[in-house]
Amino acid sequence: MILSFFDETFRVSLQDLYYLKRNILSILVTILVTPLLYYVSFCYGLGSNVNDMEGVSYIAFVIPGVVALSTLTSCFSSIANKVLAQRIYYTSFDEIILCPISPSAVIFGKALVGLIKGMLGCAILLIIGLIMTDGLHISLLLIASIALSCMVYSLLGVLVGFLSNSLTTVIMFTSVIIAPMTFLCGTVFTVSSLPVGLQYAVSALPLTYSTECIRASALGWSFPVLSLVVVAVFGVAFFLICYYMLSRGKI
Amino acid sequence: MLSSGENTPAPYQQLCEEVIRAEKIVVKFGENVAVDHVDVNVKRGEIYGFLGPNGAGKTTTIRVLTTLLHPTSGDVTVNGFKIPSENKKIRRMIGFVQQMISLDKDISVKENIICHGYLQKVPKKDIQIRMERISAVLGLTPFLNYTVIKLSGGWKRKTAIACALMHDPKILFLDEPTAGLDTQSRHMLWDMIRQLNSAGTTIFLTTHYIEEAENLCDRVAILNKGKRVALGSPKELCDKIGRFAVEYDGDNHVRKYRYFSDWDDAKKFVATFGDSDSVLLRRTTLEDVFLEMTGREVTTDFVKVVRI
Ligand SMILES: Nc1ncnc2c1ncn2[C@@H]1O[C@H](COP(=O)(O)OP(=O)(O)OP(=O)(O)O)[C@@H](O)[C@H]1O
Ligand SMILES: [Mg+2]
């Protein structure tokens, strides 16, 4: 049962894996440019004027934050665009629906490439981060937090790809929801420095919790298990909506 | 999951004469009724044709029969399995070549075909060999490494056909398979359809080429504005409106048609025209039936409209 689920997931993702293999370099460049720019501008540009934050150097504070935001940016838009294109413009998504494969495998199969891309990107970012500062710890918890975040934002990508009916919708969602999320969710400064109203808004967004988990595990702080659970709950919610749409033929 | 049980057909299915049975399908898009109480019953091993003008609802009906679209109302069973509760079992045995070519345009022809093999759960060891053999017979071998986006339209369609054949479906749905194909490929495809059919594959086909339906199909249904307006073998349908057709020039070069069941009546009618008139007496074709059933476009004075 479990085995056949993984097998089906792989079958669904094969198309995207071929694409990934063919374009691996350009994909990596695309997902790494923005976080690397953040590294440069926050660590060297801004960071030289900022004192220690929460007891660690600003560089050590920012790097896990940038890793967290890159789990969102590298997974979400590519998946949302891909699913939308396959659904509306190529109609090749129909071919996947037409196959004897369970809806959950279809959803995870589409999200799998995001997970792979996101993990690759984060690995590179962490390696660069390790060179830049010696305050980072690589642990199993860190890897698990990153993997979970990548999965959740890939699922969000699948969901938005299902919900939208044109490229404009995806672009709008990206600039209205995703872009503010990357800045406000405690990635490059603490949530507590925001106005109170915004703090409430931000606490409804999953990236806040991803950042907490990734930062705590990377800096060796006590791990916020509850935050990890919240991230997972977001993932389950995204999955369930996708599942509902797919199994009811509402896409 | 009883995966072993899924493949053993129940006795009922073996006996079931009608592989596709759809009763009173209705599909509404908002206010627009795309399919209006259409019945479809396709017998095992036949080639069933679906004809109709643009927007008649052919594609929409096929999408319902292939489990892609949930109808607003209506009951559909395919090979004894119900839609939507037994979709997964239905999907195992159908192949579908869509009107809008549905390939992943960013990867190569070969990768598309292989992915289809995997998605349709063709045994892993067979995928490569099937891919090579099917693309060889369709003449795709030189293009296997092309990205789909770089192919010409006809080759894209052939790739889509190759994909649909990967799992040797029991029922093959072809939505305008020959649109955009050259004459050679079209003839090849017709032969392929006949061969697959004689080897037991049930074929459901839509087309705008009436002579294609006339040559290939055991039965055709004609759809107009979401309603089924005729059903029968091409010959039956021709007999219904009259086996003999007389066409003649009306006012302003607009062709007119009359149909007769009786040869002598037709002769008599022709005799009422003088020698100079361009009158033609011939057998009724499916195209005549089609135009009678779906209505001819009202021909206006084009010259006046075009030359202002
Ligand atoms: N996704 C959709 N949303 C809204 N309306 C649709 C949709 N798909 C089809 N329609 C409408 O349903 C009707 C039937 O369309 P359909 O594509 O089934 O026609 P068709 O017989 O296949 O025509 P053609 O010969 O041009 O392919 C049309 O009026 C069309 O506008
Ligand atoms: Mg159509």
Side-chain angles (χ1 to χ4, degrees), chain A residues 159-183:
Chain A
L159 176 61
V160 172
F162 279 3
L163 287 169
S164 337
N165 275 321
S166 73
L167 205 52
T168 329
T169 327
V170 175
I171 293 171
M172 205 180 82
F173 189 87
T174 310
S175 43
V176 174
I177 311 271
I178 301 297
M181 227 157 117
T182 59
F183 275 100

mmCIF file with all atom_site columns, all heavy atoms in Angstrom, chain A residues 159-183:
data_model
loop_
_atom_site.group_PDB
_atom_site.id
_atom_site.type_symbol
_atom_site.label_atom_id
_atom_site.label_alt_id
_atom_site.label_comp_id
_atom_site.label_asym_id
_atom_site.label_entity_id
_atom_site.label_seq_id
_atom_site.pdbx_PDB_ins_code
_atom_site.Cartn_x
_atom_site.Cartn_y
_atom_site.Cartn_z
_atom_site.occupancy
_atom_site.B_iso_or_equiv
_atom_site.pdbx_formal_charge
_atom_site.auth_seq_id
_atom_site.auth_comp_id
_atom_site.auth_asym_id
_atom_site.auth_atom_id
_atom_site.pdbx_PDB_model_num
ATOM 1   N N   . LEU A 1 159 ? -1.780  23.614 -5.086  1.00 0.00 ? 159 LEU A N   1
ATOM 2   C CA  . LEU A 1 159 ? -3.126  24.118 -4.795  1.00 0.00 ? 159 LEU A CA  1
ATOM 3   C C   . LEU A 1 159 ? -3.427  25.368 -5.627  1.00 0.00 ? 159 LEU A C   1
ATOM 4   O O   . LEU A 1 159 ? -4.496  25.466 -6.251  1.00 0.00 ? 159 LEU A O   1
ATOM 5   C CB  . LEU A 1 159 ? -3.247  24.426 -3.302  1.00 0.00 ? 159 LEU A CB  1
ATOM 6   C CG  . LEU A 1 159 ? -4.560  25.045 -2.857  1.00 0.00 ? 159 LEU A CG  1
ATOM 7   C CD1 . LEU A 1 159 ? -5.714  24.102 -3.154  1.00 0.00 ? 159 LEU A CD1 1
ATOM 8   C CD2 . LEU A 1 159 ? -4.537  25.364 -1.372  1.00 0.00 ? 159 LEU A CD2 1
ATOM 9   N N   . VAL A 1 160 ? -2.477  26.316 -5.626  1.00 0.00 ? 160 VAL A N   1
ATOM 10  C CA  . VAL A 1 160 ? -2.712  27.540 -6.398  1.00 0.00 ? 160 VAL A CA  1
ATOM 11  C C   . VAL A 1 160 ? -2.787  27.212 -7.891  1.00 0.00 ? 160 VAL A C   1
ATOM 12  O O   . VAL A 1 160 ? -3.600  27.780 -8.622  1.00 0.00 ? 160 VAL A O   1
ATOM 13  C CB  . VAL A 1 160 ? -1.630  28.585 -6.090  1.00 0.00 ? 160 VAL A CB  1
ATOM 14  C CG1 . VAL A 1 160 ? -1.729  29.780 -7.022  1.00 0.00 ? 160 VAL A CG1 1
ATOM 15  C CG2 . VAL A 1 160 ? -1.763  29.056 -4.657  1.00 0.00 ? 160 VAL A CG2 1
ATOM 16  N N   . GLY A 1 161 ? -1.963  26.245 -8.329  1.00 0.00 ? 161 GLY A N   1
ATOM 17  C CA  . GLY A 1 161 ? -2.051  25.803 -9.721  1.00 0.00 ? 161 GLY A CA  1
ATOM 18  C C   . GLY A 1 161 ? -3.425  25.222 -10.049 1.00 0.00 ? 161 GLY A C   1
ATOM 19  O O   . GLY A 1 161 ? -3.931  25.384 -11.148 1.00 0.00 ? 161 GLY A O   1
ATOM 20  N N   . PHE A 1 162 ? -4.038  24.546 -9.078  1.00 0.00 ? 162 PHE A N   1
ATOM 21  C CA  . PHE A 1 162 ? -5.381  23.985 -9.275  1.00 0.00 ? 162 PHE A CA  1
ATOM 22  C C   . PHE A 1 162 ? -6.434  25.084 -9.290  1.00 0.00 ? 162 PHE A C   1
ATOM 23  O O   . PHE A 1 162 ? -7.399  25.032 -10.044 1.00 0.00 ? 162 PHE A O   1
ATOM 24  C CB  . PHE A 1 162 ? -5.738  23.019 -8.135  1.00 0.00 ? 162 PHE A CB  1
ATOM 25  C CG  . PHE A 1 162 ? -5.149  21.645 -8.286  1.00 0.00 ? 162 PHE A CG  1
ATOM 26  C CD1 . PHE A 1 162 ? -4.302  21.341 -9.341  1.00 0.00 ? 162 PHE A CD1 1
ATOM 27  C CD2 . PHE A 1 162 ? -5.438  20.645 -7.369  1.00 0.00 ? 162 PHE A CD2 1
ATOM 28  C CE1 . PHE A 1 162 ? -3.763  20.081 -9.476  1.00 0.00 ? 162 PHE A CE1 1
ATOM 29  C CE2 . PHE A 1 162 ? -4.902  19.378 -7.492  1.00 0.00 ? 162 PHE A CE2 1
ATOM 30  C CZ  . PHE A 1 162 ? -4.063  19.100 -8.544  1.00 0.00 ? 162 PHE A CZ  1
ATOM 31  N N   . LEU A 1 163 ? -6.257  26.073 -8.392  1.00 0.00 ? 163 LEU A N   1
ATOM 32  C CA  . LEU A 1 163 ? -7.308  27.076 -8.214  1.00 0.00 ? 163 LEU A CA  1
ATOM 33  C C   . LEU A 1 163 ? -7.325  28.127 -9.318  1.00 0.00 ? 163 LEU A C   1
ATOM 34  O O   . LEU A 1 163 ? -8.375  28.679 -9.632  1.00 0.00 ? 163 LEU A O   1
ATOM 35  C CB  . LEU A 1 163 ? -7.136  27.787 -6.862  1.00 0.00 ? 163 LEU A CB  1
ATOM 36  C CG  . LEU A 1 163 ? -7.499  26.997 -5.618  1.00 0.00 ? 163 LEU A CG  1
ATOM 37  C CD1 . LEU A 1 163 ? -7.027  27.712 -4.369  1.00 0.00 ? 163 LEU A CD1 1
ATOM 38  C CD2 . LEU A 1 163 ? -9.005  26.787 -5.552  1.00 0.00 ? 163 LEU A CD2 1
ATOM 39  N N   . SER A 1 164 ? -6.156  28.414 -9.893  1.00 0.00 ? 164 SER A N   1
ATOM 40  C CA  . SER A 1 164 ? -6.110  29.529 -10.849 1.00 0.00 ? 164 SER A CA  1
ATOM 41  C C   . SER A 1 164 ? -6.551  29.077 -12.222 1.00 0.00 ? 164 SER A C   1
ATOM 42  O O   . SER A 1 164 ? -6.420  27.908 -12.582 1.00 0.00 ? 164 SER A O   1
ATOM 43  C CB  . SER A 1 164 ? -4.707  30.085 -10.979 1.00 0.00 ? 164 SER A CB  1
ATOM 44  O OG  . SER A 1 164 ? -3.951  29.793 -9.877  1.00 0.00 ? 164 SER A OG  1
ATOM 45  N N   . ASN A 1 165 ? -7.060  30.035 -12.964 1.00 0.00 ? 165 ASN A N   1
ATOM 46  C CA  . ASN A 1 165 ? -7.415  29.713 -14.342 1.00 0.00 ? 165 ASN A CA  1
ATOM 47  C C   . ASN A 1 165 ? -6.642  30.529 -15.356 1.00 0.00 ? 165 ASN A C   1
ATOM 48  O O   . ASN A 1 165 ? -6.904  30.445 -16.543 1.00 0.00 ? 165 ASN A O   1
ATOM 49  C CB  . ASN A 1 165 ? -8.909  29.870 -14.550 1.00 0.00 ? 165 ASN A CB  1
ATOM 50  C CG  . ASN A 1 165 ? -9.622  28.601 -14.144 1.00 0.00 ? 165 ASN A CG  1
ATOM 51  O OD1 . ASN A 1 165 ? -9.117  27.506 -14.404 1.00 0.00 ? 165 ASN A OD1 1
ATOM 52  N ND2 . ASN A 1 165 ? -10.748 28.733 -13.484 1.00 0.00 ? 165 ASN A ND2 1
ATOM 53  N N   . SER A 1 166 ? -5.698  31.329 -14.876 1.00 0.00 ? 166 SER A N   1
ATOM 54  C CA  . SER A 1 166 ? -4.828  32.018 -15.829 1.00 0.00 ? 166 SER A CA  1
ATOM 55  C C   . SER A 1 166 ? -3.534  32.392 -15.125 1.00 0.00 ? 166 SER A C   1
ATOM 56  O O   . SER A 1 166 ? -3.456  32.372 -13.900 1.00 0.00 ? 166 SER A O   1
ATOM 57  C CB  . SER A 1 166 ? -5.504  33.268 -16.362 1.00 0.00 ? 166 SER A CB  1
ATOM 58  O OG  . SER A 1 166 ? -5.515  34.240 -15.347 1.00 0.00 ? 166 SER A OG  1
ATOM 59  N N   . LEU A 1 167 ? -2.562  32.724 -15.926 1.00 0.00 ? 167 LEU A N   1
ATOM 60  C CA  . LEU A 1 167 ? -1.257  33.098 -15.401 1.00 0.00 ? 167 LEU A CA  1
ATOM 61  C C   . LEU A 1 167 ? -1.382  34.326 -14.514 1.00 0.00 ? 167 LEU A C   1
ATOM 62  O O   . LEU A 1 167 ? -0.689  34.446 -13.498 1.00 0.00 ? 167 LEU A O   1
ATOM 63  C CB  . LEU A 1 167 ? -0.316  33.382 -16.573 1.00 0.00 ? 167 LEU A CB  1
ATOM 64  C CG  . LEU A 1 167 ? 1.165   33.202 -16.299 1.00 0.00 ? 167 LEU A CG  1
ATOM 65  C CD1 . LEU A 1 167 ? 1.436   31.845 -15.704 1.00 0.00 ? 167 LEU A CD1 1
ATOM 66  C CD2 . LEU A 1 167 ? 1.939   33.371 -17.587 1.00 0.00 ? 167 LEU A CD2 1
ATOM 67  N N   . THR A 1 168 ? -2.294  35.233 -14.875 1.00 0.00 ? 168 THR A N   1
ATOM 68  C CA  . THR A 1 168 ? -2.470  36.470 -14.103 1.00 0.00 ? 168 THR A CA  1
ATOM 69  C C   . THR A 1 168 ? -2.784  36.163 -12.643 1.00 0.00 ? 168 THR A C   1
ATOM 70  O O   . THR A 1 168 ? -2.265  36.811 -11.737 1.00 0.00 ? 168 THR A O   1
ATOM 71  C CB  . THR A 1 168 ? -3.630  37.287 -14.689 1.00 0.00 ? 168 THR A CB  1
ATOM 72  O OG1 . THR A 1 168 ? -3.678  37.034 -16.083 1.00 0.00 ? 168 THR A OG1 1
ATOM 73  C CG2 . THR A 1 168 ? -3.443  38.753 -14.424 1.00 0.00 ? 168 THR A CG2 1
ATOM 74  N N   . THR A 1 169 ? -3.643  35.163 -12.412 1.00 0.00 ? 169 THR A N   1
ATOM 75  C CA  . THR A 1 169 ? -4.009  34.821 -11.040 1.00 0.00 ? 169 THR A CA  1
ATOM 76  C C   . THR A 1 169 ? -2.785  34.395 -10.245 1.00 0.00 ? 169 THR A C   1
ATOM 77  O O   . THR A 1 169 ? -2.600  34.809 -9.096  1.00 0.00 ? 169 THR A O   1
ATOM 78  C CB  . THR A 1 169 ? -5.036  33.674 -11.035 1.00 0.00 ? 169 THR A CB  1
ATOM 79  O OG1 . THR A 1 169 ? -5.865  33.794 -12.176 1.00 0.00 ? 169 THR A OG1 1
ATOM 80  C CG2 . THR A 1 169 ? -5.868  33.708 -9.795  1.00 0.00 ? 169 THR A CG2 1
ATOM 81  N N   . VAL A 1 170 ? -1.954  33.550 -10.876 1.00 0.00 ? 170 VAL A N   1
ATOM 82  C CA  . VAL A 1 170 ? -0.770  33.061 -10.167 1.00 0.00 ? 170 VAL A CA  1
ATOM 83  C C   . VAL A 1 170 ? 0.169   34.227 -9.873  1.00 0.00 ? 170 VAL A C   1
ATOM 84  O O   . VAL A 1 170 ? 0.690   34.359 -8.754  1.00 0.00 ? 170 VAL A O   1
ATOM 85  C CB  . VAL A 1 170 ? -0.036  31.987 -10.998 1.00 0.00 ? 170 VAL A CB  1
ATOM 86  C CG1 . VAL A 1 170 ? 1.242   31.585 -10.320 1.00 0.00 ? 170 VAL A CG1 1
ATOM 87  C CG2 . VAL A 1 170 ? -0.917  30.778 -11.180 1.00 0.00 ? 170 VAL A CG2 1
ATOM 88  N N   . ILE A 1 171 ? 0.348   35.094 -10.861 1.00 0.00 ? 171 ILE A N   1
ATOM 89  C CA  . ILE A 1 171 ? 1.247   36.227 -10.656 1.00 0.00 ? 171 ILE A CA  1
ATOM 90  C C   . ILE A 1 171 ? 0.707   37.118 -9.534  1.00 0.00 ? 171 ILE A C   1
ATOM 91  O O   . ILE A 1 171 ? 1.461   37.568 -8.664  1.00 0.00 ? 171 ILE A O   1
ATOM 92  C CB  . ILE A 1 171 ? 1.411   37.027 -11.965 1.00 0.00 ? 171 ILE A CB  1
ATOM 93  C CG1 . ILE A 1 171 ? 2.162   36.171 -12.985 1.00 0.00 ? 171 ILE A CG1 1
ATOM 94  C CG2 . ILE A 1 171 ? 2.165   38.321 -11.716 1.00 0.00 ? 171 ILE A CG2 1
ATOM 95  C CD1 . ILE A 1 171 ? 2.215   36.744 -14.357 1.00 0.00 ? 171 ILE A CD1 1
ATOM 96  N N   . MET A 1 172 ? -0.604  37.305 -9.527  1.00 0.00 ? 172 MET A N   1
ATOM 97  C CA  . MET A 1 172 ? -1.186  38.144 -8.489  1.00 0.00 ? 172 MET A CA  1
ATOM 98  C C   . MET A 1 172 ? -0.996  37.502 -7.119  1.00 0.00 ? 172 MET A C   1
ATOM 99  O O   . MET A 1 172 ? -0.578  38.167 -6.174  1.00 0.00 ? 172 MET A O   1
ATOM 100 C CB  . MET A 1 172 ? -2.672  38.364 -8.766  1.00 0.00 ? 172 MET A CB  1
ATOM 101 C CG  . MET A 1 172 ? -3.190  39.627 -8.154  1.00 0.00 ? 172 MET A CG  1
ATOM 102 S SD  . MET A 1 172 ? -4.921  39.839 -8.511  1.00 0.00 ? 172 MET A SD  1
ATOM 103 C CE  . MET A 1 172 ? -5.638  38.809 -7.270  1.00 0.00 ? 172 MET A CE  1
ATOM 104 N N   . PHE A 1 173 ? -1.272  36.231 -7.026  1.00 0.00 ? 173 PHE A N   1
ATOM 105 C CA  . PHE A 1 173 ? -1.099  35.537 -5.746  1.00 0.00 ? 173 PHE A CA  1
ATOM 106 C C   . PHE A 1 173 ? 0.342   35.669 -5.271  1.00 0.00 ? 173 PHE A C   1
ATOM 107 O O   . PHE A 1 173 ? 0.610   35.916 -4.096  1.00 0.00 ? 173 PHE A O   1
ATOM 108 C CB  . PHE A 1 173 ? -1.476  34.058 -5.903  1.00 0.00 ? 173 PHE A CB  1
ATOM 109 C CG  . PHE A 1 173 ? -1.548  33.306 -4.614  1.00 0.00 ? 173 PHE A CG  1
ATOM 110 C CD1 . PHE A 1 173 ? -2.716  33.281 -3.877  1.00 0.00 ? 173 PHE A CD1 1
ATOM 111 C CD2 . PHE A 1 173 ? -0.436  32.641 -4.120  1.00 0.00 ? 173 PHE A CD2 1
ATOM 112 C CE1 . PHE A 1 173 ? -2.779  32.597 -2.676  1.00 0.00 ? 173 PHE A CE1 1
ATOM 113 C CE2 . PHE A 1 173 ? -0.494  31.955 -2.922  1.00 0.00 ? 173 PHE A CE2 1
ATOM 114 C CZ  . PHE A 1 173 ? -1.665  31.931 -2.197  1.00 0.00 ? 173 PHE A CZ  1
ATOM 115 N N   . THR A 1 174 ? 1.276   35.521 -6.233  1.00 0.00 ? 174 THR A N   1
ATOM 116 C CA  . THR A 1 174 ? 2.686   35.615 -5.869  1.00 0.00 ? 174 THR A CA  1
ATOM 117 C C   . THR A 1 174 ? 3.003   36.990 -5.300  1.00 0.00 ? 174 THR A C   1
ATOM 118 O O   . THR A 1 174 ? 3.676   37.106 -4.271  1.00 0.00 ? 174 THR A O   1
ATOM 119 C CB  . THR A 1 174 ? 3.570   35.335 -7.098  1.00 0.00 ? 174 THR A CB  1
ATOM 120 O OG1 . THR A 1 174 ? 3.119   34.135 -7.689  1.00 0.00 ? 174 THR A OG1 1
ATOM 121 C CG2 . THR A 1 174 ? 5.016   35.195 -6.709  1.00 0.00 ? 174 THR A CG2 1
ATOM 122 N N   . SER A 1 175 ? 2.516   38.046 -5.961  1.00 0.00 ? 175 SER A N   1
ATOM 123 C CA  . SER A 1 175 ? 2.931   39.357 -5.466  1.00 0.00 ? 175 SER A CA  1
ATOM 124 C C   . SER A 1 175 ? 2.120   39.821 -4.266  1.00 0.00 ? 175 SER A C   1
ATOM 125 O O   . SER A 1 175 ? 2.614   40.572 -3.451  1.00 0.00 ? 175 SER A O   1
ATOM 126 C CB  . SER A 1 175 ? 2.903   40.401 -6.589  1.00 0.00 ? 175 SER A CB  1
ATOM 127 O OG  . SER A 1 175 ? 1.752   40.250 -7.342  1.00 0.00 ? 175 SER A OG  1
ATOM 128 N N   . VAL A 1 176 ? 0.890   39.326 -4.128  1.00 0.00 ? 176 VAL A N   1
ATOM 129 C CA  . VAL A 1 176 ? 0.073   39.797 -3.003  1.00 0.00 ? 176 VAL A CA  1
ATOM 130 C C   . VAL A 1 176 ? 0.303   38.975 -1.736  1.00 0.00 ? 176 VAL A C   1
ATOM 131 O O   . VAL A 1 176 ? 0.301   39.496 -0.633  1.00 0.00 ? 176 VAL A O   1
ATOM 132 C CB  . VAL A 1 176 ? -1.424  39.785 -3.383  1.00 0.00 ? 176 VAL A CB  1
ATOM 133 C CG1 . VAL A 1 176 ? -2.286  40.139 -2.189  1.00 0.00 ? 176 VAL A CG1 1
ATOM 134 C CG2 . VAL A 1 176 ? -1.674  40.780 -4.502  1.00 0.00 ? 176 VAL A CG2 1
ATOM 135 N N   . ILE A 1 177 ? 0.512   37.681 -1.868  1.00 0.00 ? 177 ILE A N   1
ATOM 136 C CA  . ILE A 1 177 ? 0.656   36.831 -0.683  1.00 0.00 ? 177 ILE A CA  1
ATOM 137 C C   . ILE A 1 177 ? 2.110   36.404 -0.463  1.00 0.00 ? 177 ILE A C   1
ATOM 138 O O   . ILE A 1 177 ? 2.653   36.542 0.633   1.00 0.00 ? 177 ILE A O   1
ATOM 139 C CB  . ILE A 1 177 ? -0.226  35.564 -0.793  1.00 0.00 ? 177 ILE A CB  1
ATOM 140 C CG1 . ILE A 1 177 ? -1.655  35.934 -1.195  1.00 0.00 ? 177 ILE A CG1 1
ATOM 141 C CG2 . ILE A 1 177 ? -0.171  34.753 0.501   1.00 0.00 ? 177 ILE A CG2 1
ATOM 142 C CD1 . ILE A 1 177 ? -2.587  36.238 -0.079  1.00 0.00 ? 177 ILE A CD1 1
ATOM 143 N N   . ILE A 1 178 ? 2.722   35.903 -1.517  1.00 0.00 ? 178 ILE A N   1
ATOM 144 C CA  . ILE A 1 178 ? 4.037   35.278 -1.338  1.00 0.00 ? 178 ILE A CA  1
ATOM 145 C C   . ILE A 1 178 ? 5.126   36.314 -1.049  1.00 0.00 ? 178 ILE A C   1
ATOM 146 O O   . ILE A 1 178 ? 5.907   36.169 -0.110  1.00 0.00 ? 178 ILE A O   1
ATOM 147 C CB  . ILE A 1 178 ? 4.402   34.439 -2.581  1.00 0.00 ? 178 ILE A CB  1
ATOM 148 C CG1 . ILE A 1 178 ? 3.341   33.366 -2.814  1.00 0.00 ? 178 ILE A CG1 1
ATOM 149 C CG2 . ILE A 1 178 ? 5.769   33.804 -2.412  1.00 0.00 ? 178 ILE A CG2 1
ATOM 150 C CD1 . ILE A 1 178 ? 3.209   32.352 -1.732  1.00 0.00 ? 178 ILE A CD1 1
ATOM 151 N N   . ALA A 1 179 ? 5.173   37.379 -1.842  1.00 0.00 ? 179 ALA A N   1
ATOM 152 C CA  . ALA A 1 179 ? 6.249   38.358 -1.674  1.00 0.00 ? 179 ALA A CA  1
ATOM 153 C C   . ALA A 1 179 ? 6.235   39.000 -0.280  1.00 0.00 ? 179 ALA A C   1
ATOM 154 O O   . ALA A 1 179 ? 7.277   39.041 0.376   1.00 0.00 ? 179 ALA A O   1
ATOM 155 C CB  . ALA A 1 179 ? 6.176   39.402 -2.781  1.00 0.00 ? 179 ALA A CB  1
ATOM 156 N N   . PRO A 1 180 ? 5.086   39.470 0.220   1.00 0.00 ? 180 PRO A N   1
ATOM 157 C CA  . PRO A 1 180 ? 5.091   40.015 1.579   1.00 0.00 ? 180 PRO A CA  1
ATOM 158 C C   . PRO A 1 180 ? 5.510   38.979 2.619   1.00 0.00 ? 180 PRO A C   1
ATOM 159 O O   . PRO A 1 180 ? 6.223   39.289 3.573   1.00 0.00 ? 180 PRO A O   1
ATOM 160 C CB  . PRO A 1 180 ? 3.630   40.431 1.808   1.00 0.00 ? 180 PRO A CB  1
ATOM 161 C CG  . PRO A 1 180 ? 3.047   40.561 0.466   1.00 0.00 ? 180 PRO A CG  1
ATOM 162 C CD  . PRO A 1 180 ? 3.760   39.612 -0.407  1.00 0.00 ? 180 PRO A CD  1
ATOM 163 N N   . MET A 1 181 ? 5.064   37.709 2.369   1.00 0.00 ? 181 MET A N   1
ATOM 164 C CA  . MET A 1 181 ? 5.410   36.653 3.308   1.00 0.00 ? 181 MET A CA  1
ATOM 165 C C   . MET A 1 181 ? 6.923   36.529 3.441   1.00 0.00 ? 181 MET A C   1
ATOM 166 O O   . MET A 1 181 ? 7.444   36.394 4.554   1.00 0.00 ? 181 MET A O   1
ATOM 167 C CB  . MET A 1 181 ? 4.843   35.339 2.771   1.00 0.00 ? 181 MET A CB  1
ATOM 168 C CG  . MET A 1 181 ? 4.109   34.510 3.765   1.00 0.00 ? 181 MET A CG  1
ATOM 169 S SD  . MET A 1 181 ? 2.994   33.425 2.885   1.00 0.00 ? 181 MET A SD  1
ATOM 170 C CE  . MET A 1 181 ? 3.583   31.851 3.282   1.00 0.00 ? 181 MET A CE  1
ATOM 171 N N   . THR A 1 182 ? 7.640   36.589 2.320   1.00 0.00 ? 182 THR A N   1
ATOM 172 C CA  . THR A 1 182 ? 9.084   36.375 2.382   1.00 0.00 ? 182 THR A CA  1
ATOM 173 C C   . THR A 1 182 ? 9.754   37.435 3.253   1.00 0.00 ? 182 THR A C   1
ATOM 174 O O   . THR A 1 182 ? 10.765  37.157 3.875   1.00 0.00 ? 182 THR A O   1
ATOM 175 C CB  . THR A 1 182 ? 9.720   36.414 0.979   1.00 0.00 ? 182 THR A CB  1
ATOM 176 O OG1 . THR A 1 182 ? 9.436   37.677 0.392   1.00 0.00 ? 182 THR A OG1 1
ATOM 177 C CG2 . THR A 1 182 ? 9.202   35.315 0.100   1.00 0.00 ? 182 THR A CG2 1
ATOM 178 N N   . PHE A 1 183 ? 9.201   38.641 3.302   1.00 0.00 ? 183 PHE A N   1
ATOM 179 C CA  . PHE A 1 183 ? 9.848   39.685 4.094   1.00 0.00 ? 183 PHE A CA  1
ATOM 180 C C   . PHE A 1 183 ? 9.383   39.726 5.533   1.00 0.00 ? 183 PHE A C   1
ATOM 181 O O   . PHE A 1 183 ? 10.161  39.980 6.441   1.00 0.00 ? 183 PHE A O   1
ATOM 182 C CB  . PHE A 1 183 ? 9.600   41.052 3.455   1.00 0.00 ? 183 PHE A CB  1
ATOM 183 C CG  . PHE A 1 183 ? 10.586  41.356 2.388   1.00 0.00 ? 183 PHE A CG  1
ATOM 184 C CD1 . PHE A 1 183 ? 10.260  41.192 1.054   1.00 0.00 ? 183 PHE A CD1 1
ATOM 185 C CD2 . PHE A 1 183 ? 11.862  41.774 2.726   1.00 0.00 ? 183 PHE A CD2 1
ATOM 186 C CE1 . PHE A 1 183 ? 11.185  41.444 0.079   1.00 0.00 ? 183 PHE A CE1 1
ATOM 187 C CE2 . PHE A 1 183 ? 12.790  42.031 1.750   1.00 0.00 ? 183 PHE A CE2 1
ATOM 188 C CZ  . PHE A 1 183 ? 12.446  41.868 0.415   1.00 0.00 ? 183 PHE A CZ  1
#
